[in-house]
């Protein structure tokens, strides 16, 4: 260990809890500001930028770091994760113990390229994905090169089957309806020693999932301690066109569907993956206030959740 690493180790404050979850990004795939969207206030105010949705899971006891999604913003997001849990290893690795992928849309996996030969050139970073997703990566360049050069090491997960991850927690992928051109799409039910959380950044419709045999939205909430749910659009008035055929739950619709739940259940829900057009991206908007008044939460980059009992 170098002197610098030893000093870093000595100055780390005691962990606030053993297992922690940190929001590294809460925007839709392309974040904000987007290409050509000249009126976005984030061009002039960097605090208003949206990074694509990603979560960081830290096991402080075992000194492990896991990411959910490899977004196009992974460079900034991994760096942000070092501000929460400093880099402890002195072996040139990223100190990254695993990446979980939900599906093959750009905001969720395109950042894997930064692990490749022209960038970090990592060695065997564990990447967990479902069978179609894993096969898509293995059989299509440039992703296949990450596997051929052992930059990443793939583990294939199975639907509705709990997999123990390095003796730190368990994940149970749940297949949901979504635009599945290249891969299936999953949400992850994650069971840590203290709490259970659910991460579902993309789904066409909760009703459609239930009709296909999935759980009801309220059962989903009742079955977890903390949920991060797709909230791409706020309502049907948001885009300047007919939105009736555009999938994704609306923030407003999800609040209405869960309105009868008691306050302690509603408080578990954190809206995430919001589009640049969704006004909940601005903490001072009337819509953000409405979310709060209804007892729900908007996930914000930098949010930290202790997952201990
Ligand atoms: Zn997405
Ligand atoms: Zn998607």
């Amino acid at each position: 260990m170098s002197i610098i690493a030893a000093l870093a180790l000595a100055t780390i404050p005691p962990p606030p809890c053993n297992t922690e979850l940190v929001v590294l990004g809460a925007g839709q795939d392309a974040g904000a500001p987007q290409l050509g969207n000249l009126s976005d206030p984030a061009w002039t105010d960097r605090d208003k930028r949206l990074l694509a949705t990603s979560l960081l899971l830290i096991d402080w006891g075992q000194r492990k770091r896991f990411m959910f999604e490899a977004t196009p913003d992974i460079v900034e997001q991994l760096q942000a994760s070092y501000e929460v849990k400093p880099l402890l290893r002195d072996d040139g690795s990223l100190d990254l113990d695993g990446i979980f992928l939900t599906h093959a849309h750009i905001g969720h996996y395109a950042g894997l390229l930064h692990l490749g030969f022209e960038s970090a050139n990592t060695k065997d970073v564990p990447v967990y994905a479902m069978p179609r997703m894993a096969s898509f990566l293995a059989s299509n360049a440039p992703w296949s090169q990450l596997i051929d050069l052992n930059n990443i090491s793939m583990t294939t997960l199975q639907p509705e089957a709990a997999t123990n991850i390095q003796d730190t927690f368990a994940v149970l992928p749940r297949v949901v309806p979504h635009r599945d051109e290249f891969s299936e799409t999953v949400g992850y039910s994650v069971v840590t020693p203290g709490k259970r959380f659910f991460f579902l950044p993309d789904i066409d419709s909760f009703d459609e999932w239930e009709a296909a045999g999935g759980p009801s939205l309220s059962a989903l909430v009742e079955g977890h301690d903390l949920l991060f749910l797709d909230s791409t659009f706020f309502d049907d008035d948001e885009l300047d066109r007919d939105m009736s055929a555009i999938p994704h739950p609306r923030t407003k619709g999800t609040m209405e569907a869960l309105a009868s739940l008691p306050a302690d259940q509603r408080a578990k829900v954190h809206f995430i993956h919001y589009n640049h057009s969704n006004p909940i991206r601005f903490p001072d908007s009337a819509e953000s206030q409405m979310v709060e008044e209804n007892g729900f939460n908007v996930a914000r980059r930098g949010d930290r959740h202790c997952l201990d009992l």
Side-chain angles (χ1 to χ4, degrees):
M1 181 183 288
S2 72
I3 291 171
I4 292 172
L7 281 174
L9 191 58
T11 54
I12 298 167
C17 60
N18 193 62
T19 310
E20 193 172 8
L21 193 62
V22 183
V23 177
L24 295 177
Q28 180 265 1
D29 296 47
Q34 293 191 5
L35 273 180
N37 190 355
L38 302 185
S39 62
D40 196 301
W43 290 117
T44 49
D45 183 349
R46 286 179 63 80
D47 289 345
K48 290 192 166 65
R49 286 180 312 143
L50 289 181
L51 303 190
T53 290
S54 174
L55 299 180
L56 169 73
L57 181 62
I58 302 171
D59 184 315
W60 286 97
Q62 300 201 49
R63 294 185 174 172
K64 291 192 172 183
R65 179 196 321 264
F66 301 88
M67 290 179 95
F68 286 80
E69 312 291 37
T71 85
D73 301 311
I74 193 171
V75 175
E76 183 170 348
Q77 289 173 322
L78 193 57
Q79 184 63 24
S81 92
Y82 298 141
E83 286 164 24
V84 180
K85 176 183 174 293
L87 186 61
L88 294 181
R89 293 177 196 157
D90 191 25
D91 56 3
S93 76
L94 296 180
D95 195 10
L96 181 57
D97 299 282
I99 299 175
F100 295 86
L101 303 176
T102 60
H103 67 301
H105 285 162
I106 64 161
H108 304 266
Y109 80 109
L112 285 178
L113 288 179
H114 285 285
L115 276 59
F117 189 71
E118 299 86 356
S119 184
N121 195 24
T122 56
K123 179 94 180 85
D124 291 327
V125 171
V127 173
Y128 300 87
M130 295 289 286
R132 261 188 83 197
M133 180 80 213
S135 151
F136 170 77
L137 295 175
S139 36
N140 289 284
W143 322 105
S144 51
Q145 190 181 57
L146 298 168
I147 298 169
D148 296 342
L149 298 182
N150 298 315
N151 298 129
I152 62 174
S153 160
M154 293 297 304
T155 297
T156 304
L157 303 170
Q158 297 301 326
E160 303 293 333
T163 299
N164 190 301
I165 307 297
Q166 303 172 31
D167 291 326
T168 53
F169 57 92
V171 295
L172 186 134
R174 312 204 69 171
V175 177
V176 299
H178 190 44
R179 192 166 46 86
D180 292 340
E181 307 95 327
F182 305 123
S183 74
E184 63 282 86
T185 300
V186 293
Y188 284 110
S189 188
V190 181
V191 183
T192 71
K195 287 184 180 162
R196 179 188 289 250
F197 74 89
F198 189 57
F199 175 56
L200 179 61
D202 261 293
I203 183 172
D204 281 0
S205 149
F206 289 115
D207 289 342
E208 210 180 302
W209 187 21
E210 190 179 352
S216 70
L217 185 52
S218 54
L220 207 57
V221 173
E222 282 158 356
H224 294 86
D225 300 297
L226 189 63
L227 300 95
F228 297 87
L229 300 180
D230 178 356
S231 197
T232 305
F233 301 108
F234 187 77
D235 60 22
D236 284 340
D237 302 328
E238 191 169 320
L239 303 179
D240 200 15
R241 56 178 156 143
D242 176 16
M243 291 181 65
S244 56
I246 299 179
H248 289 293
R250 312 298 195 245
T251 315
K252 210 172 163 189
T254 302
M255 289 197 289
E256 284 163 8
L258 295 174
S260 61
L261 287 185
D264 63 331
Q265 298 298 310
R266 279 178 277 132
K268 296 174 177 177
V269 176
H270 294 249
F271 295 121
I272 203 162
H273 192 271
Y274 29 91
N275 200 46
H276 66 100
S277 58
N278 188 334
I280 64 169
R281 67 179 273 204
F282 303 115
D284 54 359
S285 67
E287 290 80 359
S288 286
Q289 204 178 332
M290 191 190 298
V291 170
E292 202 175 308
E293 282 166 3
N294 282 289
F296 300 93
N297 306 279
V298 178
R300 307 272 179 212
R301 179 157 43 103
D303 284 355
R304 297 173 70 158
H305 300 275
C306 182
L307 298 181
D308 294 353
L309 277 177

